[in-house]
Every structure is written in C-alpha cells, then in structure tokens.
Amino acid sequence: MLVKGEIDAMITARPPRCFMERAPGVRRLFPDYRAEEERYFAKTGIFPIMHVIAMQRQAYEANRWIARNLFDAFEAAKRASIARLYNIQSSYLPTAWLTDDLERMHRLLFGEAEPWPYGLERNHSTIDPFLIYCDEQGVTRRRLSAEELFPKEVAFEVRI
C-alpha cells in the first residue's frame, strides 16, 4: 500500500519489506530517527509500550494469584532474554558493535535501573500520558488512572 500510494505512512516496530528493498518513494519520516527518538525520550521519559498482558476478569477473580504468577513469569523470561542478547556472539548475526549498542541503549533509556521495567510504579511516565491521550481522543469514556488498569497484586514491586 505504501508503494502504490494507497497510504501515506505507517507506524510499525519493524521496517516493511518495501523499505528494506529500497522501493522508490518509501523512506523514513525522520532520516535520523534514532536521534529523534532519543531526543523525545530525553524530553518526555516516554518509552513506547510494546506488549501488554491481559486476562479475563472471571479467571482473575476466581484465582487472584494468577496475576502475580504471570507477572513474575514474564519478568523471569525478560531477564533470560536480556542475558541471551549479551551472549548472542555465538549466533550467526553480525555482532561487531552489538554489546556496545546494548550498553549505550541501556544507559540512555534506563541509566542504572533495570531495563524495560514491568509494572505500574516504574512506568507512570509512559502510562499516565497514554491515558491522557486516550481520554482526549475519545478512546475511553473518561480519564482513567493507571491504578485502575492493574490488579493490586502487580501494582507493587517485589525484590529478593
């Protein structure tokens, strides 16, 4: 649709095939997108939400422990995935600057904190503006608070 001019733009986590194949007229909106993204994050603290876990209310209300168990399972999976990123040198991917890029990204986005934090407390800077936008754009019937979106079992952080 981009190549045919049926749409003017798209937002996607990965470049479409027509971009990768250098189709005429298909380009990034911001040529130096990385600098733009870094500038926006530095200004707002907003890191785009990429994944959301949802559960049926009936299942949650019958077994409230499910929320915390899911949260903890995904947290463990995230930690394992981050560890794999740093050990990717054994794969077939070109890795000349991968570790340096990972460390740079971590410093820019998270400082000394854990990368890609889960849960409510450490994500207010992203969730609160999101809820404002939802209200302003009519996606929700009223302005929701972040606390309304999360079960109390995952609203707090557990450190061992």
Side-chain angles (χ1 to χ4, degrees), residues 24-134:
V26 177
R27 61 178 177 78
R28 292 188 187 275
L29 179 60
F30 300 104
D32 193 358
Y33 68 95
R34 187 171 181 160
E36 289 295 330
E37 290 175 358
E38 289 175 7
R39 202 170 7 262
Y40 181 79
F41 179 79
K43 177 182 174 183
T44 66
I46 295 174
F47 186 82
I49 298 169
M50 300 172 81
H51 302 89
V52 176
I53 301 168
M55 68 179 82
Q56 291 182 330
R57 180 174 301 278
Q58 180 182 358
Y60 165 69
E61 288 177 354
N63 303 285
R64 291 189 178 260
W65 55 267
I66 291 174
R68 188 75 218 183
N69 282 19
L70 274 173
F71 183 95
D72 293 343
F74 276 91
E75 184 70 43
K78 177 186 71 171
R79 286 194 182 113
S81 295
I82 290 169
R84 277 195 306 276
L85 277 174
Y86 282 93
N87 291 316
I88 204 163
Q89 284 79 5
S90 61
S91 77
Y92 62 90
L93 295 172
T95 60
W97 300 290
L98 182 61
T99 300
D100 185 56
D101 281 347
L102 288 170
E103 290 170 359
R104 180 179 181 275
M105 179 178 59
H106 187 123
R107 282 190 310 275
L108 281 169
L109 297 175
F110 312 109
E112 297 298 317
E114 180 182 350
W116 294 287
Y118 289 173
L120 177 58
E121 192 58 39
R122 296 189 328 182
N123 285 290
H124 272 287
S125 63
T126 298
I127 295 169
D128 293 342
F130 168 77
L131 293 172
I132 291 169
Y133 303 151
C134 286

